[in-house]
Amino acid sequence: MTIQYIGEHILPGLIGKGFIWTGFVSAILATVFYYLNATKEKTPGSIFQKAAKGFFLFHAFSLISVAVIFYWLIFSHYFEYSYVWEYSSKTLPVKYIISCFWAGQEGSFLVWALFQAILGVILVFIAKEWENHVMTIVSLSQVFVTSMMLGIHFGAFRIGSSPFILLRDTMKSIEGTIFTQPDYLSSLKDGNGLNPLLENIWMTIHPPILFLGYALALVPF
């Protein structure tokens, strides 16, 4: 029997997943068109280059949208989402709620992809004659990093982990858990919160700088 859960905020997660997929597909298309423009030595401003630019800009927009939705879930304390419950808490100061974004694997990949996307947008407008070659690599890198947030499964084969997975969907079986109750959220008063070892100022600074370094290292590569 299907349980009709009460109070869950499903729509933001669905929209977030949709933007991850559009970001993934648009990164693939940007890679293809930039590669074609580079290998076929098309002139600057060709239809291939215009298409590649458009797809990459849409890719960046998609990831920014994912980040906005993700932060909304965290600050709204929607504990029906596994990531929000596992890393955030109502008792955390704002600076640590901000750092919840990159406390786990899914959020870390999102930060990485977001920095590379923003960097890519800058390169689109300043790379000039290097645009096709550089952006082929940047777009391809975005394909792989974004795929780490897809969260799709083929039997034992798994590609990434979605930051928008529901807590109840992480259970092999809901038997004997609060998820057998339609109003389980009334029992889920707070989240697990950050590991106490991560509750320091460096947690709010170190990971973003680290991933920014990863993104910047892609350009000379």
Side-chain angles (χ1 to χ4, degrees):
M1 184 179 69
T2 302
I3 301 175
Q4 299 296 322
Y5 291 105
I6 301 171
E8 285 188 332
H9 303 85
I10 302 297
L11 185 59
L14 292 176
I15 296 173
K17 288 179 180 179
F19 274 123
I20 289 175
W21 274 99
T22 57
F24 176 67
V25 173
S26 57
I28 292 175
L29 293 172
T31 302
V32 171
F33 281 105
Y34 269 125
Y35 176 76
L36 289 174
N37 206 58
T39 55
K40 294 183 181 298
E41 298 183 354
K42 297 289 184 180
T43 57
S46 70
I47 189 171
F48 286 98
Q49 190 176 52
K50 288 180 179 178
K53 279 185 177 182
F55 283 123
F56 193 87
L57 292 176
F58 185 70
H59 165 77
F61 169 78
S62 296
L63 290 186
I64 291 171
S65 300
V66 172
V68 170
I69 293 170
F70 196 40
Y71 255 136
W72 182 33
L73 297 182
I74 292 173
F75 274 94
S76 298
H77 303 298
Y78 289 163
F79 297 125
E80 58 265 43
Y81 289 93
S82 176
Y83 194 98
V84 178
W85 177 85
E86 188 170 359
Y87 297 109
S88 75
S89 170
K90 293 179 180 178
T91 59
L92 286 175
V94 172
K95 61 182 178 181
Y96 295 140
I97 293 180
I98 292 173
S99 62
C100 289
F101 190 103
W102 45 78
Q105 173 184 296
E106 299 88 344
S108 296
F109 275 118
L110 179 52
V111 172
W112 188 358
L114 190 60
F115 275 138
Q116 285 192 166
I118 294 171
L119 182 62
V121 170
I122 295 173
L123 289 170
V124 162
F125 293 103
I126 69 170
K128 297 181 180 179
E129 69 270 15
W130 288 97
E131 181 184 345
N132 292 319
H133 298 84
V134 173
M135 288 305 298
T136 298
I137 300 301
V138 172
S139 300
L140 181 60
S141 176
Q142 286 298 87
V143 171
F144 287 108
V145 177
T146 308
S147 72
M148 292 295 100
M149 296 180 286
L150 293 178
I152 55 178
H153 305 265
F154 300 99
F157 184 70
R158 176 178 174 180
I159 302 177
S161 179
S162 173
F164 299 108
I165 188 171
L166 293 170
L167 183 59
R168 57 183 168 86
D169 288 338
T170 63
M171 305 289 170
K172 292 183 178 179
S173 173
I174 65 171
E175 294 299 323
T177 70
I178 61 173
F179 303 111
T180 57
Q181 302 300 320
D183 62 341
Y184 77 89
L185 283 172
S186 62
S187 302
L188 211 59
K189 301 297 184 182
D190 202 359
N192 190 48
L194 283 175
N195 184 317
L197 295 175
L198 299 179
E199 292 184 25
N200 61 75
I201 189 61
W202 298 111
M203 183 59 185
T204 64
I205 300 172
H206 176 262
I209 293 177
L210 180 68
F211 288 113
L212 178 59
Y214 289 166
L216 290 171
L218 184 63
V219 182
F221 171 78

